[in-house]
Amino acid sequence: MTKQLVSLVIDGQPVSVPAGTLIVDAAKQIGIDIPVFCYHPKMEPVGMCRMCLVEVGRPVIDRTSGQPVIEDGKLKIQFGAKLETACTTPVSEGMQVLGMSEKARTAQKEIIEFLLTSHPLDCPVCDKGGECPLQNLTIEHGSTESRFKFEDKQHQEKHVPLGDLIWLDRERCIQCARCIRFQDEIVGDSVLGFFSRGRTTDIVTYSEPGFDSIFSGNTSDICPVGALTTVDFRFGARPWEMNSAASICTHCAVGCNTTINVRREASSDGRMMIKRVMPRQNEQVNEIWLCDKGRFAHHFSANPARLAKPLIRIRDQLSESSWEEALNLAGNSLGEVHQDFIILAGGRLANEDLFNLKALADGFGGKALLYSHMGGGSFTTQIGMSKDTNFGEVGADTCILVVASDLYNEAPLWYLRIKQAAERGATLIVAGGRETKLEKYASHVIRYAYGDESPTIQSLHDSKAGLAAAQAIASAQNLVVLYGSDGLGLEGSTSLAEACTGLLEKTSHAGKDGSALIGIWTHANDQGAWEMGFQTNADLTAAFDNKLVYIVACDPAGDDPALAAALKTARFVIVQELFQTETSRLANVVLPAQAFSEREGSFTSGERRVQRFYPAVPALGESRPDFAITASLARQAGLELEGISALKIMNLIAEKYKSFEDISYASLAEVSPQWPMVGNGDVYYGGTTYANTQGLGKRLALSKKEVNLTSLKPFKSKRPNDSVLLAIPVSQLYDRGVTVLPSTILHAHIGDASLTLHPDTARRFKVEVGSTVELTLHGTATMVKVLVDEKVPASVALLPHSMGISINAPAAVNLKAV
Amino acid sequence: MTHILLRHRDIPEIKKMEVYRKNGGFEAFKKVVTSMKPGAVTDVVKASGLRGRGGAGFPTGLKWSFMDNSNWPHYVVANADESEPGTFKDREIMESNPFQFLEGVAISAFAVGANTAYVYLRGEFWQLAAFLDDCIEEMEKADLLGKKLFGTEYELKLYTHLGAGAYICGEETALLESMEGKRGQPRLRPPYPPSFGLYGKPTVVNNVETLTNVPMILTKGADWYKALGTADSAGVKLFSLSGRVNKPGNYELPFGTTFRHLIYECGGGIINDHPVKAIMAAGASSSIIKVDDKVLDTPMDYASVSKLGADLGSASVIVIDDTVSIEWVISKTVEFFKHESCGKCTPCREGNYWMKHLIERMEAGEAVEANTELLLSVAKQMQNKCLCALGEFATMAVVSGIERFPDDFTASSIGGGHD
């Protein structure tokens, strides 16, 4: 739907833009930088700071004829008596804007002088220095001396923790309200506000705990001064001292683009250290935002507990050894077995790592298994996202169905963009066993009892049965279905994926541009594992018996005591990991792997976008990239695999898998201009998000196998009943995952292992709120804290993943008060 | 002269319902609802030449005609935020002639098709609000409010709403924000309230005095009202006279009355017969007029006062004699605006704070870097940049004071004083 174009002239330069464009944006498009503070291109303008005052002239219209007046062959232009704010004024035909005239420049200079009257002289100690819009615009537009007497400056609190992750300096704040408006408009959590008035206007937080939002870090990026700083980076480094590397966040399946800033530090023996993780602009994935987990949970890679050397088991003890010795031992064992060989891989591995693992399994006739409690990837590879569908652009033409997921906690940037899509007119349907945050924006909410996930989706096939949601789906032009694993295990989620696939097929959306099935995976590259041909196995306990087990990037023994016991029956165990885990403690050989920040590779996001990540810091100790270790192992056992160049592995992937045929490291590194302009000279406009110069990534084509709906046997899910308490696995954003726990600044958000019940359920099972009880699950007893929430259905208890209690499917539990 | 607005000065008990009714009360409302079309009511008000009495002087009937008829419902809000220093006229109306005011609200509601009307009172008027609530209850009991009024399909409900002590909430869009439960800060304009007002619906915001004229106009006719006052400013105005006069207070006079008449005939002249030095015709939001005979003989209407380089505004006439230093006067106005600035826009928020510190130092005799030239420069720097009129008006007394009365400023190389 194209809008009518409007032509105008800005500082002598003609420009044509769609009607409704604001003057400040029209100017930016032709390289004219009208200074702004309160305006942000992703938010509604407010015209508060008055920095963008420009002279605006409009064609004079004759009152009687209604026609523009012509004088000397040109339109007669009348300039307003007052300057107007470019950020609140839309363009109009024939308009003339003067942003560089003396009148405009004087006004801009005067506003800077006003802003600096009570702004503290903090530049030498302020984190924002070097990437500060106020500094930059002062140099550009301000005067060199201030006429404001220093002692009169308003003194206010300088170290106010708004929450535990963001600190506020009240003196530096210029009351632009960008932080408040970001929370109100974009996030939908109005946890910040103004308090008091006039010169004493302050930012306060209205939530308990303070600044209760998982997107709080973004306010530090868009703050035009150093008022909002992050606890992670506060007093960390100067922007010009740091180097940057383009990377991808690995905490969930969204695949947000990041820039890792590093600096060589004397205090770390001259090592390059990661100072902070910043968003990198990709308007198709995360726009210019990051969630706080992606921003702050990076400390695991530098953690001293990382494995630095290979370990081998000698006389029942693991001791350090050399790569040569470890590879010899492991490779020889591998060479001895065929078909008695299992690879168990975690979804945080890169595409290249997974390809080599699969090639190794294929080469020896072994099995390549994905360690995951969530299935259905065989469907997403066939009817997942293809072409360039962009959550940031869908509107009334698209129906989005989110089922079995607490999207806010599982994929924050999808939550954010789907919420905005719904506000733009997309039809949002949320189906869940319990109330979740996204429901606020849904046109239709479907509440099912845990266990009824698949039948609920099947009921949406028939638009004539009377369900409003079904009608919305049937009449939608595009249908995007996102399915999760809230309350589901491997079999349940696979069955749900199948039901969703059936829905897409029956409504004729499967495989069409604009429609998709998306898995809300728990790891960054689960989708990549499915693309590489990995399979899941619901019962691993029987799989290890007398086999050679090669476990990479997952911790089955730590997750489940039954799997720990099963692992002890294996013939030989090779573990490739970042840290010592319960699993690695049972290994014969432990091989130290590099963190993703130490090497290059690529991930496939849940939207099937392949994106490259680049090394930010040198490898820790003697760790090597996962794909290189696998290749070395293979060589020991007589199989040649690529072990040096990740680029070459990607070429092999493109050769083998048709859906990857357009993918190469070169094509993944392509960039195109994005809007809004961010970073560098545009720090004042879009914020301190980094511009994307290293690659936007590419979507995979759909894999052309036929979707086989009859291959699965129908799965009967456990259902709650009054006599037994059913524990339901759920996800929380901040958990005790191995890549999250080392970030101590997040510990207040992680909390203790807890069980959440409806208050009535707690009474019925005779447990007290806040008390610690003994929970028995699959024969193992653990202590948990009891919490209540009225949104939890009766007879179920929510038990989060990765909090120290092994739950990966609904299970009956016993509770005992202690 | 028989009062049109301050009728309690002729009929002392007019604040009682039965007395008001005995003196023609609510006949205009009944006539309008039973026999006129809303558009016709607006036409009468247009023809009468009534202009807004809150300070802006915008033609009332014209404002009513701007209401967007494609967006419903419509609202009427009476602006009883009266906070301008030197203004105390609306208070007297509401205290002593409340029903005529409420009838004016009701007629205007009918004229713009509103079924709900509000009276927004400044927070300090909580007693007045309680009193108006009682008056509204009496009107409801008398079937003058509610459903099916006078046997027609028209229904109307009136509510009072209290502010919480902010002058900025007298600005119509800040008032609407306050009514919606948000911070009282002005909105971007356009759009204006007749297109996008309370809850985004078309809303007429009128001053109390403006609305109190309406029943009389509908009773006695537009021509009658237009014949009062002057060609440019029709009707009568309440002048809130204060300052160095013997008899301060509200005086209802036709437009065109001179300052001399107001000060000497009504106000009993200046205390101890001092000469008048200056007049602030619009409370603190005025340019200060330097008084001579020509000024005293100027008729008080919008056009004539504007020729003096000032605004009549809400006609809160503060009279200054030669015992008062203009520097002292503007130290008060600057303190007022600095306290009341909402803080939304940079020039008003920072400029008022800066001016306050400058004038404080000047008054305390500490003026070295602080001086009159700098104060004048800062005030001028705020002009034509602010989001709303508060910031603009905050500069007027300062600029006019310094330019017209340089001798009153001690910290300056212009005129008298040290250095």
Side-chain angles (χ1 to χ4, degrees):
Chain A
M1 186 174 64
T2 42
K3 277 212 186 119
Q4 188 201 347
L5 286 180
V6 169
S7 300
L8 66 152
V9 177
I10 304 178
D11 286 322
Q13 280 192 59
V15 57
S16 280
V17 285
T21 305
L22 301 163
I23 294 177
V24 64
D25 291 335
K28 202 85 175 113
Q29 287 175 36
I30 50 172
I32 293 178
D33 293 324
I34 296 177
V36 297
F37 285 113
C38 66
Y39 178 70
H40 190 282
K42 286 203 178 269
M43 299 194 269
E44 289 299 303
V46 285
M48 284 166 60
C49 70
R50 317 307 283 178
M51 187 64 196
C52 62
L53 290 168
V54 292
E55 292 192 72
V56 178
R58 294 176 176 81
V60 179
I61 304 288
D62 184 274
R63 280 198 197 189
T64 34
S65 71
Q67 292 304 310
V69 173
I70 311 283
E71 213 170 70
D72 296 332
K74 285 192 303 207
L75 283 173
K76 181 170 178 188
I77 304 290
Q78 169 100 39
F79 277 85
K82 285 174 76 162
L83 298 169
E84 295 179 47
T85 45
C87 72
T88 58
T89 311
V91 299
S92 61
E93 189 64 36
M95 186 187 261
Q96 295 232 6
V97 177
L98 299 175
M100 307 269 272
S101 66
E102 198 188 316
K103 205 166 161 195
R105 290 208 69 123
T106 305
Q108 289 155 11
K109 181 161 145 213
E110 290 170 344
I111 295 291
I112 291 270
E113 184 180 30
F114 277 133
L115 284 172
L116 291 174
T117 54
S118 270
H119 193 79
L121 295 174
D122 275 0
C123 291
V125 298
C126 173
D127 290 318
K128 206 81 178 179
E131 52 185 18
C132 175
L134 182 60
Q135 273 185 345
N136 296 350
L137 291 177
T138 300
I139 304 277
E140 181 70 35
H141 298 280
S143 62
T144 49
E145 271 187 60
S146 174
R147 303 177 295 168
F148 185 89
K149 200 159 162 51
F150 186 78
E151 281 91 65
D152 291 340
K153 272 189 192 286
Q154 173 115 7
H155 290 296
Q156 290 163 285
E157 294 171 272
K158 291 189 76 65
H159 316 283
V160 180
L162 273 186
D164 59 343
L165 295 172
I166 303 287
W167 284 59
L168 168 67
D169 185 311
R170 294 199 192 288
E171 283 184 358
R172 298 176 189 168
C173 176
I174 58 169
Q175 286 87 20
C176 72
R178 269 187 178 185
C179 54
I180 299 172
R181 288 150 52 212
F182 169 75
Q183 288 294 137
D184 286 349
E185 276 177 52
I186 296 184
V187 176
D189 276 331
S190 298
V191 294
L192 293 180
F194 275 137
F195 185 78
S196 188
R197 73 175 183 220
R199 193 63 203 72
T200 54
T201 304
D202 281 336
I203 302 283
V204 293
T205 175
Y206 288 123
S207 63
E208 186 53 53
F211 209 162
D212 191 11
S213 168
I214 62 175
F215 300 103
S216 64
N218 295 301
T219 57
S220 170
D221 290 336
I222 60 177
C223 178
V225 294
L228 294 172
T229 52
T230 68
V231 149
D232 187 39
F233 183 63
R234 206 165 146 75
F235 300 129
R238 286 309 202 175
W240 60 84
E241 294 176 327
M242 300 191 291
N243 286 334
S244 303
S247 192
I248 303 290
C249 175
T250 55
H251 288 294
C252 79
V254 174
C256 295
N257 289 203
T258 60
T259 292
I260 300 182
N261 285 150
V262 300
R263 185 179 74 166
R264 193 180 293 285
E265 308 230 301
S267 56
S268 308
D269 299 323
R271 268 194 302 155
M272 288 287 256
M273 300 299 286
I274 295 178
K275 300 307 293 179
R276 64 178 184 182
V277 174
M278 296 290 276
R280 179 167 55 109
Q281 183 181 32
N282 191 329
E283 292 294 323
Q284 310 219 43
V285 182
N286 59 305
E287 297 180 26
I288 55 174
W289 316 118
L290 272 187
C291 80
D292 288 349
K293 186 175 178 183
R295 191 183 290 267
F296 297 127
H298 61 81
H299 306 88
F300 73 91
S301 72
N303 192 282
R306 283 268 308 276
L307 294 166
K309 285 175 85 77
L311 306 168
I312 59 177
R313 186 172 294 277
I314 301 175
R315 279 189 294 277
D316 220 36
Q317 286 261 43
L318 282 173
S319 358
E320 288 186 351
S321 97
S322 66
W323 272 104
E324 201 188 328
E325 211 185 328
L327 285 173
N328 252 330
L329 182 58
N332 289 342
S333 309
L334 186 55
E336 286 164 17
V337 305
H338 293 270
Q339 280 151 346
D340 282 345
F341 160 42
I342 303 252
I343 292 179
L344 195 58
R348 68 161 199 262
L349 291 168
N351 292 323
E352 295 77 4
D353 310 329
L354 293 161
F355 178 82
N356 268 10
L357 287 168
K358 183 77 167 61
L360 180 63
D362 290 345
F364 283 90
K367 282 216 219 56
L369 297 177
L370 173 66
Y371 181 70
S372 173
H373 71 258
M374 179 169 164
S378 51
F379 299 110
T380 58
T381 53
Q382 295 178 70
I383 55 168
M385 280 279 214
S386 72
K387 285 284 170 159
D388 281 305
T389 310
N390 181 351
F391 280 137
E393 282 166 10
V394 300
D397 54 344
T398 302
C399 180
I400 303 175
L401 166 63
V402 177
V403 55
S405 166
D406 177 8
L407 204 58
Y408 183 80
N409 273 299
E410 296 175 25
L413 259 297
W414 281 346
Y415 167 90
L416 196 66
R417 301 183 82 218
I418 288 175
K419 167 232 182 230
Q420 291 187 290
E423 287 174 335
R424 276 196 310 274
T427 306
L428 174 61
I429 304 172
V430 177
R434 62 192 170 98
E435 188 185 320
T436 57
K437 236 171 134 82
L438 188 60
E439 286 179 11
K440 188 167 133 186
Y441 304 99
S443 329
H444 308 277
V445 172
I446 301 174
R447 181 76 63 244
Y448 52 72
Y450 279 105
D452 284 340
E453 293 83 358
S454 301
T456 302
I457 297 301
Q458 277 155 1
S459 73
L460 294 173
H461 292 194
D462 183 5
S463 61
K464 293 186 190 51
L467 264 181
Q471 282 162 353
I473 289 172
S475 57
Q477 202 180 313
N478 304 311
L479 175 63
V480 177
V481 181
L482 294 100
Y483 79 97
S485 57
D486 184 270
L488 295 167
L490 187 57
E491 288 164 300
S493 56
T494 310
S495 165
L496 176 59
E498 183 190 18
C500 292
T501 305
L503 179 63
L504 281 155
E505 290 247 297
K506 290 234 166 51
T507 52
S508 307
H509 287 115
K512 293 237 182 79
D513 291 341
S515 299
L517 176 69
I518 298 177
I520 305 168
W521 308 113
T522 49
H523 292 89
N525 205 23
D526 281 320
Q527 183 64 35
W530 290 101
E531 303 283 347
M532 295 296 118
F534 276 72
Q535 307 270 310
T536 48
N537 183 326
D539 184 15
L540 288 172
T541 50
F544 299 153
D545 191 22
N546 204 31
K547 304 254 193 319
L548 184 146
V549 189
Y550 177 19
I551 303 182
V552 189
C554 54
D555 183 17
D559 283 342
D560 191 348
L563 290 176
L567 207 49
K568 294 191 177 125
T569 69
R571 189 195 305 180
F572 195 86
V573 180
I574 306 169
V575 172
Q576 191 168 305
E577 252 292 2
L578 297 170
F579 293 92
Q580 275 276 40
T581 59
E582 291 304 313
T583 305
S584 64
R585 288 193 186 95
L586 297 172
N588 296 92
V589 178
V590 181
L591 303 167
Q594 285 177 357
F596 73 96
S597 48
E598 296 163 354
R599 46 166 281 200
E600 66 170 346
S602 64
F603 296 121
T604 308
S605 75
E607 287 181 82
R608 302 185 74 242
R609 175 175 291 272
V610 182
Q611 303 180 112
R612 280 179 73 179
F613 58 91
Y614 298 78
V617 291
L620 191 126
E622 295 181 34
S623 62
R624 296 182 183 182
D626 289 283
F627 66 82
I629 302 173
T630 306
S632 302
L633 261 179
R635 180 171 303 120
Q636 285 285 349
L639 178 65
E640 280 304 313
L641 293 178
E642 175 58 47
I644 296 176
S645 164
L647 184 150
K648 283 193 179 163
I649 299 181
M650 181 49 78
N651 292 342
L652 294 170
I653 294 175
E655 260 175 51
K656 180 166 180 198
Y657 299 103
K658 194 121 198 326
S659 50
F660 277 77
E661 72 185 345
D662 287 335
I663 312 289
S664 69
Y665 268 23
S667 70
L668 293 177
E670 282 166 12
V671 290
S672 54
Q674 302 193 78
W675 180 266
M677 277 94 147
V678 297
N680 299 320
D682 299 298
V683 164
Y684 76 96
Y685 189 66
T688 50
T689 304
Y690 278 73
N692 194 329
T693 54
Q694 301 282 63
L696 296 172
K698 272 181 99 68
R699 271 265 172 69
L700 293 175
L702 295 178
S703 108
K704 289 286 190 266
K705 286 197 300 267
E706 255 211 27
V707 177
N708 194 342
L709 288 179
T710 59
S711 64
L712 295 169
K713 43 186 202 295
F715 175 69
K716 285 202 94 61
S717 237
K718 284 200 169 65
R719 281 171 171 66
N721 69 61
D722 283 345
S723 55
V724 154
L725 183 62
L726 188 68
I728 299 285
V730 298
S731 291
Q732 58 186 60
L733 185 67
Y734 300 111
D735 56 26
R736 305 177 75 85
V738 84
T739 55
V740 180
L741 197 56
S743 297
T744 50
I745 55 172
L746 295 175
H747 281 185
H749 295 259
I750 295 174
D752 299 315
S754 62
L755 184 77
T756 310
L757 311 160
H758 191 281
D760 292 344
T761 314
R763 271 191 286 277
R764 198 146 53 79
F765 286 91
K766 300 190 177 49
V767 289
E768 296 233 342
V769 182
S771 68
T772 307
V773 299
E774 187 185 84
L775 171 81
T776 308
L777 168 65
H778 298 315
T780 311
T782 347
M783 306 303 275
V784 285
K785 197 158 142 200
V786 174
L787 300 173
V788 291
D789 186 344
E790 298 203 334
K791 297 197 281 286
V792 180
S795 302
V796 304
L798 307 183
L799 203 51
H801 291 292
S802 301
M803 288 298 289
I805 300 167
S806 88
I807 178 157
N808 50 28
V813 291
N814 278 322
L815 290 182
K816 198 166 77 175
V818 288
Chain B
M1 125 196 148
T2 320
H3 288 85
I4 296 169
L5 303 168
L6 301 179
R7 292 173 70 197
H8 54 286
R9 297 197 183 173
D10 304 325
I11 311 163
E13 302 279 277
I14 201 165
K15 70 175 175 213
K16 294 206 171 104
M17 169 74 89
E18 61 271 20
V19 177
Y20 182 65
R21 291 198 91 156
K22 209 156 56 167
N23 284 278
F26 294 110
E27 287 305 312
F29 185 43
K30 181 174 174 187
K31 174 179 95 171
V32 147
V33 171
T34 55
S35 67
M36 289 178 78
K37 284 214 159 56
V41 178
T42 303
D43 288 339
V44 170
V45 172
K46 259 193 192 161
S48 74
L50 177 67
R51 294 168 68 159
R53 299 293 193 244
F58 192 86
T60 308
L62 190 61
K63 184 190 268 193
W64 293 5
S65 72
F66 286 160
M67 290 287 271
D68 180 357
N69 284 319
S70 67
N71 190 2
W72 295 89
H74 289 180
Y75 294 105
V76 165
V77 177
N79 187 343
D81 189 69
E82 186 166 68
S83 303
E84 185 65 51
T87 313
F88 35 86
K89 57 185 180 69
D90 297 333
R91 177 193 188 141
E92 187 171 343
I93 292 173
M94 291 189 284
E95 278 173 348
S96 306
N97 190 7
F99 289 111
Q100 184 167 328
F101 158 58
L102 292 172
E103 187 179 0
V105 175
I107 294 172
S108 73
F110 179 81
V112 300
N115 300 111
T116 316
Y118 297 93
V119 180
Y120 181 95
L121 297 108
R122 62 183 290 182
E124 293 88 338
F125 279 176
W126 80 88
Q127 289 162 313
L128 205 40
F131 173 59
L132 286 179
D133 281 341
D134 289 340
C135 296
I136 290 171
E137 204 184 313
E138 269 194 90
M139 283 170 73
E140 285 171 349
K141 285 209 183 83
D143 290 324
L144 295 163
L145 288 174
K147 289 195 194 307
K148 294 201 189 317
L149 295 174
F150 307 114
T152 70
E153 287 307 305
Y154 184 61
E155 61 177 271
L156 178 63
K157 290 216 72 158
L158 248 57
Y159 302 96
T160 59
H161 184 100
L162 277 174
Y167 166 75
I168 186 63
C169 288
E171 198 281 336
E172 62 177 4
T173 58
L175 187 158
L176 296 173
E177 290 283 285
S178 169
M179 281 194 69
E180 291 181 16
K182 299 185 265 185
R183 284 168 64 82
Q185 294 186 313
R187 298 173 176 169
L188 290 173
R189 285 145 289 126
Y192 292 90
S195 337
F196 187 94
L198 188 62
Y199 307 117
K201 298 298 176 186
T203 306
V204 152
V205 182
N206 275 140
N207 175 261
V208 170
E209 184 188 343
T210 314
L211 292 167
T212 311
N213 279 289
V214 170
M216 296 299 271
I217 292 173
L218 268 298
T219 304
K220 297 202 175 164
D223 290 335
W224 160 81
Y225 195 76
K226 210 161 166 53
L228 302 165
T230 65
D232 143 87
S233 311
V236 297
K237 182 80 187 71
L238 296 185
F239 294 88
S240 299
L241 182 65
S242 66
R244 299 291 293 168
V245 293
N246 282 307
K247 294 197 285 176
N250 286 318
Y251 295 99
E252 181 180 313
L253 299 162
F255 277 110
T257 310
T258 61
F259 283 109
R260 191 186 295 280
H261 182 97
L262 175 66
I263 294 171
Y264 291 100
E265 301 302 320
C266 303
I270 305 298
I271 299 169
N272 296 329
D273 284 325
H274 278 253
V276 184
K277 175 164 140 179
I279 290 176
M280 295 170 79
S285 297
S286 337
S287 287
I288 307 177
I289 306 170
K290 193 167 163 125
V291 172
D292 54 22
D293 281 321
K294 179 163 160 289
V295 169
L296 285 173
D297 291 320
T298 301
M300 295 185 295
D301 64 46
Y302 296 110
S304 308
V305 176
S306 159
K307 288 207 189 79
L308 296 176
D311 288 309
L312 186 56
S314 53
S316 331
V317 181
I318 303 176
V319 180
I320 296 164
D321 68 9
D322 65 356
T323 65
V324 179
S325 151
I326 299 295
E327 185 183 84
W328 177 88
V329 169
I330 67 170
S331 76
K332 296 299 163 193
T333 64
V334 164
E335 162 67 41
F336 174 75
F337 286 111
K338 179 243 171 200
H339 183 72
E340 297 291 343
S341 166
C342 78
K344 191 170 183 181
C345 76
T346 305
C348 174
R349 180 183 72 235
E350 308 293 342
N352 276 308
Y353 180 85
W354 194 353
M355 290 201 296
K356 167 99 168 48
H357 281 267
L358 288 173
I359 193 98
E360 258 179 5
R361 285 163 180 274
M362 287 159 66
E363 284 272 282
E366 281 170 22
V368 176
E369 283 103 7
N371 57 47
T372 320
E373 284 85 6
L374 182 58
L375 180 59
L376 182 62
S377 167
V378 173
K380 285 191 162 161
Q381 196 163 301
M382 283 168 65
Q383 289 179 334
N384 295 323
K385 296 200 182 68
C386 300
L387 188 84
C388 84
L390 189 153
E392 304 289 337
F393 289 160
T395 66
M396 291 168 116
V398 178
V399 172
S400 60
I402 294 174
E403 285 179 342
R404 296 172 189 176
F405 301 90
D407 292 345
D408 283 29
F409 290 86
T410 50
S412 164
S413 54
I414 312 168
H418 50 76
D419 289 340

